[in-house]
Amino acid sequence: MAISIPDTLTADNSGKYIMSIRLRSDGLSFSGYCPSESESFFYRNMEFDRTKPYISSLKEFFFGHEFLTYSYKRTNLVYVTLQYTVVPEEVFTEKQKNDLLSFTFSAPENKCLHNLLAREAAEVVFGMDEEVYEFCSRSLINPSFVHHITPQLALWKQQSRTLIPRQMYVVLHRKMMDVVCFAQGRLLFVNTFEYDKPDDILYYILYVWKQVGMDQEKDQLHIYGGVSLRNSITTTLRNYIQYISPAEIPSDAYLLGAEVVQAPLDLIALSVCEL
């Protein structure tokens, strides 16, 4: 279960690095880079044994990798889950965040967290397994807990500001997909759906496209995910939507290092937007 890190990252110089650990249902991944050094970005991925409790695998991984406990310039803990809701800042209160999550989901996670979307005047309220939260809080030095949709919203808002057509951004994860729509920097729609087969992906994209009122000939669909699956659904979608393209990694992300192309979009966005 051991994973190596660059020789340039040591306990003595870790304070120069930003570390992001990404937790998902079947494992974790992490990235690190030094903002003052180009080409310093690295990315690693680990699959967990699904027959074991997630928290057991997480603890085993942490205890086997001392570098995770180093003191970093910043430590981000990115949590991948479809259990979230976006709440306007004018109606959000810290005391009611649990009620907001319970209203949205019938069985919310025990730990309720939130991220400020400063440019949207809104909060991303999300649930997290409490045992996982407590362990990470104890094991990491002052971690910032981030929902995976938060950096993506910041990135896409920035990208869509100067574009006249409306944008739909789709990110395909394993068995779940993010769907977000913007109009010149204004958020129109955001949700994450579960899917079992490609037909489900097609359904959600076309359903949201219609609900938001996007134009089949003028507006744009950008898809991020595995090449094979992406190409498969794009072939069908071209019967309904004219402008479809792979979601592009921001050009300035390549300054971080060659390994950036291996990372999930939320980790890339988190590094580029520096939330």
Side-chain angles (χ1 to χ4, degrees), residues 67-84:
F67 72 88
L68 291 174
T69 61
Y70 289 172
S71 177
Y72 292 97
K73 181 176 183 179
R74 185 165 73 242
T75 301
N76 300 310
L77 198 293
V78 179
Y79 197 62
V80 181
T81 175
L82 54 77
Q83 195 174 106
Y84 71 94

Side-chain angles (χ1 to χ4, degrees), residues 191-209:
N191 205 348
T192 299
F193 303 97
E194 291 182 292
Y195 71 86
D196 292 318
K197 51 188 183 298
D199 284 351
D200 298 333
I201 299 173
L202 295 170
Y203 169 78
Y204 287 123
I205 290 175
L206 294 175
Y207 176 77
V208 173
W209 189 277

Side-chain angles (χ1 to χ4, degrees), residues 157-192:
K157 183 179 183 69
Q158 181 177 312
Q159 290 181 343
S160 71
R161 277 178 174 171
T162 59
L163 300 174
I164 295 176
R166 285 177 289 184
Q167 315 289 308
M168 174 182 283
Y169 299 94
V170 174
V171 180
L172 303 176
H173 305 270
R174 298 179 185 180
K175 300 299 182 181
M176 56 185 280
M177 56 186 289
D178 304 322
V179 182
V180 178
C181 301
F182 274 98
Q184 293 185 304
R186 181 168 59 90
L187 181 62
L188 301 177
F189 180 92
V190 53
N191 205 348
T192 299

Side-chain angles (χ1 to χ4, degrees), residues 225-232:
V227 175
S228 178
L229 178 58
R230 189 179 66 207
N231 289 345
S232 174

Side-chain angles (χ1 to χ4, degrees), residues 84-103:
Y84 71 94
T85 185
V86 177
V87 182
E89 197 172 18
E90 60 186 16
V91 299
F92 173 83
T93 64
E94 181 77 23
K95 293 181 179 179
Q96 292 183 321
K97 65 181 182 181
N98 292 78
D99 294 335
L100 291 167
L101 201 64
S102 297
F103 177 80

Side-chain angles (χ1 to χ4, degrees), residues 1-271:
M1 205 177 188
I3 285 186
S4 63
I5 59 172
D7 294 336
T8 52
L9 173 57
T10 65
D12 293 332
N13 70 357
S14 61
K16 300 179 181 178
Y17 279 76
I18 294 176
M19 172 66 73
S20 296
I21 303 167
R22 183 181 191 264
L23 304 185
R24 59 180 195 276
S25 62
D26 59 351
L28 63 76
S29 58
F30 57 90
S31 65
Y33 71 99
C34 179
S36 61
E37 298 177 14
S38 61
E39 300 291 325
S40 62
F41 186 95
F42 67 91
Y43 173 75
R44 302 290 186 271
N45 182 58
M46 171 59 67
E47 303 280 339
F48 286 169
D49 182 350
R50 298 193 185 191
T51 64
K52 297 171 60 176
Y54 185 87
I55 188 64
S56 298
S57 296
L58 183 63
K59 289 180 179 179
E60 182 181 341
F61 187 83
F62 265 70
F63 296 150
H65 296 84
E66 184 182 5
F67 72 88
L68 291 174
T69 61
Y70 289 172
S71 177
Y72 292 97
K73 181 176 183 179
R74 185 165 73 242
T75 301
N76 300 310
L77 198 293
V78 179
Y79 197 62
V80 181
T81 175
L82 54 77
Q83 195 174 106
Y84 71 94
T85 185
V86 177
V87 182
E89 197 172 18
E90 60 186 16
V91 299
F92 173 83
T93 64
E94 181 77 23
K95 293 181 179 179
Q96 292 183 321
K97 65 181 182 181
N98 292 78
D99 294 335
L100 291 167
L101 201 64
S102 297
F103 177 80
T104 309
F105 300 96
S106 58
E109 295 283 9
N110 293 329
K111 186 64 181 180
C112 184
L113 303 169
H114 62 97
N115 298 150
L116 173 65
L117 294 174
R119 298 170 184 171
E120 294 291 345
E123 299 273 351
V124 175
V125 179
F126 63 101
M128 184 173 184
D129 181 273
E130 188 161 25
E131 192 173 7
V132 171
Y133 171 82
E134 293 295 341
F135 173 74
C136 291
S137 295
R138 294 192 306 269
S139 303
L140 300 170
I141 300 174
N142 195 29
S144 297
F145 291 87
V146 182
H147 189 274
H148 80 272
I149 202 70
T150 302
Q152 293 179 163
L153 290 176
L155 174 65
W156 292 329
K157 183 179 183 69
Q158 181 177 312
Q159 290 181 343
S160 71
R161 277 178 174 171
T162 59
L163 300 174
I164 295 176
R166 285 177 289 184
Q167 315 289 308
M168 174 182 283
Y169 299 94
V170 174
V171 180
L172 303 176
H173 305 270
R174 298 179 185 180
K175 300 299 182 181
M176 56 185 280
M177 56 186 289
D178 304 322
V179 182
V180 178
C181 301
F182 274 98
Q184 293 185 304
R186 181 168 59 90
L187 181 62
L188 301 177
F189 180 92
V190 53
N191 205 348
T192 299
F193 303 97
E194 291 182 292
Y195 71 86
D196 292 318
K197 51 188 183 298
D199 284 351
D200 298 333
I201 299 173
L202 295 170
Y203 169 78
Y204 287 123
I205 290 175
L206 294 175
Y207 176 77
V208 173
W209 189 277
K210 181 178 180 181
Q211 290 297 109
V212 175
M214 298 183 73
D215 191 302
Q216 293 172 277
E217 297 182 353
K218 297 179 180 179
D219 295 331
Q220 303 176 351
L221 170 60
H222 302 276
I223 305 176
Y224 188 94
V227 175
S228 178
L229 178 58
R230 189 179 66 207
N231 289 345
S232 174
I233 64 172
T234 296
T235 299
T236 302
L237 286 170
R238 290 200 185 281
N239 294 318
Y240 307 97
I241 300 171
Q242 182 170 313
Y243 189 100
I244 305 174
S245 70
E248 296 183 359
I249 296 175
S251 57
D252 48 349
Y254 291 100
L255 299 175
L256 297 171
E259 290 187 37
V260 73
V261 297
Q262 303 173 25
L265 186 60
D266 43 71
L267 288 185
I268 297 173
L270 189 59
S271 301

